[in-house]
Amino acid sequence: MRWSFLPPLMVYLAFGISTLTAIVGTFFVKEYLDLSAAFLAGLAFWAGLPWALKMPLGHLVDIIWRWKWLLIWIGAALVGASLSIMYLLVSAPAMMEMVMPAEAWFVTSTLLAPCGLVLQDAVADAMSVEAVPSVDASGMPLDEDTLRGLHTTMQTLGRVALIGGTLIVAGVNIVGFAGVELLEDAAKSEVYAQIYAIALCVPLISVSGVVLAGLQRRRAAARARAQGQDPSPFEERPGPPTKANPWYFIGGGAFVALSLIVGLLDVPYSQEIVFAGSMTIIIALMRQLVRVLTPEQARMLVGTALIVFVFRAVPLPGQGATWFSIDVLGFDQQFLSVLQLVAAILTLAAMIALRPLIAGHKLVWVYLMLTVLGGVLALPNIGLYYGVQDITAPLTGGVVDARFIAVLDTAAESPLSQIALIPMLAWIARNAPDNLKATFFAVMASFTNLALSASALLTKYLNQIFVVSREVTDRSTGEITIQADYSQLGTVLIIAALIGLLAPLITIWVVQRSRIRTTA
């Protein structure tokens, strides 16, 4: 750990803390909004699309390197606006609904937050490269092995900071949600509003990171001058200035135009059209990007990106599984916060403990291990749906009940998705050209983050074919308008688990027998 690592870690920490509203958002939607699981999966698709804009944003960061901190401030404003909308929607719903329906405000807030977070994340990736020194205390260049270790550590700590944010979130939620299930609706709304108010610290933390980075750079440059050393490593990025490539901005503009036209005109299959267009644009820009690499590096990067894409693109069960755990298994807000806390702690421990293992094994071995583990760890959730707790609880005197199984499953499964990103991020930090670091991070992140949009689409299809519904009650009359129906959730869980296991394994097998096989 070096002090220069702290500024980007603060931005990543803010990103992690932004999940503070995830649980309260789930209960707010369930209790106050009439939105289906399929609609929410579709909304998740649109909310994931801003991450595809990391492509032009990353290139912009390379071009305006000395002024990249401005994007952090803009992102903070967007995140703050999103949280403020939800705070007012919970605390003063009548006032907000005089302007727009509650569902429209919720959709607006849901779309604003990722727009702000993607701006900050693009800058944080660049800051994570800048934070790794290129010279030692005496001004001598660091050797390749030392740089490799520092970059791997920096990227691991970035994931640690992000998960550390969720750890803080879980602690706040456990305290904030204590006894909330017993409260009346008005008192419950006050608790929800408090959570959103606390979350307004997120933009402040990220802004503090860039302020600290500026102070550190100026202090290091002044110290170098006082010692008679060259201050340029602390003031300027190594390598030549980045030459603007208009294709990145043309591609980003085409993506925005396509999304707006298709979305506003309510074109049939709009999400599928936007996804296909986005994929085409990103692949075209990836082809331009890899030209600066050696042929061997380019092939390996493409193969690795494809494996990560499929690993992240598999469908999830969707909101129906969460509703089932609340309505049938009796998981309340506080217990879901406990699961979040367990997940954060175990993810942190796993990333720190497995860092040498990740650094010492080939990328494909890491993804193969994570895929198999993910398949095995899908079994407890399936078992809970089919009532395995009704067998284990009597045999163990009530110890191994539904909550015990949920805690064990969360503890084992939680590190997988974060660990999957570390090898690719470290490879980019080491091998991308100095004047295109942020661009490489952004384009590869756009490609792999587009996988989350693919996952949202597949999740939507799964929930449209096998419909899962929660009980919906008219708040004014108390009449049940939609009956709860979890009869098809078991099928959804099984299909999602099978695809999550087989799709990455088949992809790894195909990639490793082709020209784009990964050897790193």
Side-chain angles (χ1 to χ4, degrees), residues 330-370:
F331 294 176
D332 55 28
Q333 294 94 328
Q334 190 175 42
F335 180 69
L336 291 178
S337 302
V338 170
L339 291 182
Q340 195 177 36
L341 178 68
V342 171
I345 292 175
L346 268 296
T347 300
L348 283 175
M351 285 193 295
I352 295 171
L354 295 178
R355 192 198 71 84
L357 186 68
I358 295 171
H361 287 80
K362 294 182 178 181
L363 297 179
V364 68
W365 183 90
V366 175
Y367 294 124
L368 182 64
M369 175 192 71
L370 294 177

Side-chain angles (χ1 to χ4, degrees), residues 308-492:
V308 178
F309 181 91
V310 174
F311 182 86
R312 294 170 65 114
V314 296
L316 302 174
Q319 284 293 313
T322 304
W323 297 339
F324 176 83
S325 68
I326 295 169
D327 291 342
V328 179
L329 300 180
F331 294 176
D332 55 28
Q333 294 94 328
Q334 190 175 42
F335 180 69
L336 291 178
S337 302
V338 170
L339 291 182
Q340 195 177 36
L341 178 68
V342 171
I345 292 175
L346 268 296
T347 300
L348 283 175
M351 285 193 295
I352 295 171
L354 295 178
R355 192 198 71 84
L357 186 68
I358 295 171
H361 287 80
K362 294 182 178 181
L363 297 179
V364 68
W365 183 90
V366 175
Y367 294 124
L368 182 64
M369 175 192 71
L370 294 177
T371 299
V372 174
L373 283 176
V376 172
L377 295 173
L379 296 177
N381 282 329
I382 298 174
L384 284 174
Y385 174 78
Y386 286 104
V388 67
Q389 67 275 13
D390 296 332
I391 300 173
T392 58
L395 292 176
T396 59
V399 175
V400 185
D401 58 2
R403 295 195 173 202
F404 185 91
I405 294 172
V407 168
L408 286 184
D409 181 56
T410 299
E413 187 179 11
S414 53
L416 301 185
S417 61
Q418 290 299 326
I419 292 174
L421 292 176
I422 294 173
M424 189 180 73
L425 294 175
W427 190 94
I428 293 173
R430 294 197 315 270
N431 293 284
D434 287 330
N435 62 336
L436 289 173
K437 294 284 190 187
T439 305
F440 262 82
F441 270 117
V443 173
M444 299 312 297
S446 294
F447 181 69
T448 54
N449 283 329
L450 196 59
L452 299 181
S453 295
S455 175
L457 273 179
L458 294 174
T459 302
K460 183 187 75 170
Y461 298 150
L462 203 54
N463 279 271
Q464 286 176 337
I465 297 170
F466 305 100
V467 178
V468 178
S469 61
R470 72 192 188 281
E471 182 180 288
V472 177
T473 305
D474 189 307
R475 296 180 64 192
S476 58
T477 65
E479 180 184 354
I480 297 175
T481 56
I482 299 176
Q483 294 288 344
D485 182 6
Y486 297 110
S487 60
Q488 299 194 76
L489 179 58
T491 305
V492 172

Side-chain angles (χ1 to χ4, degrees), residues 221-234:
R223 185 168 57 248
R225 290 191 187 94
Q227 296 175 352
Q229 300 174 2
D230 180 13
S232 60
F234 306 104

Side-chain angles (χ1 to χ4, degrees), residues 99-118:
V99 181
M100 284 195 307
E103 288 79 5
W105 280 119
F106 176 75
V107 170
T108 302
S109 174
T110 301
L111 297 178
L112 277 177
C115 291
L117 292 172
V118 71

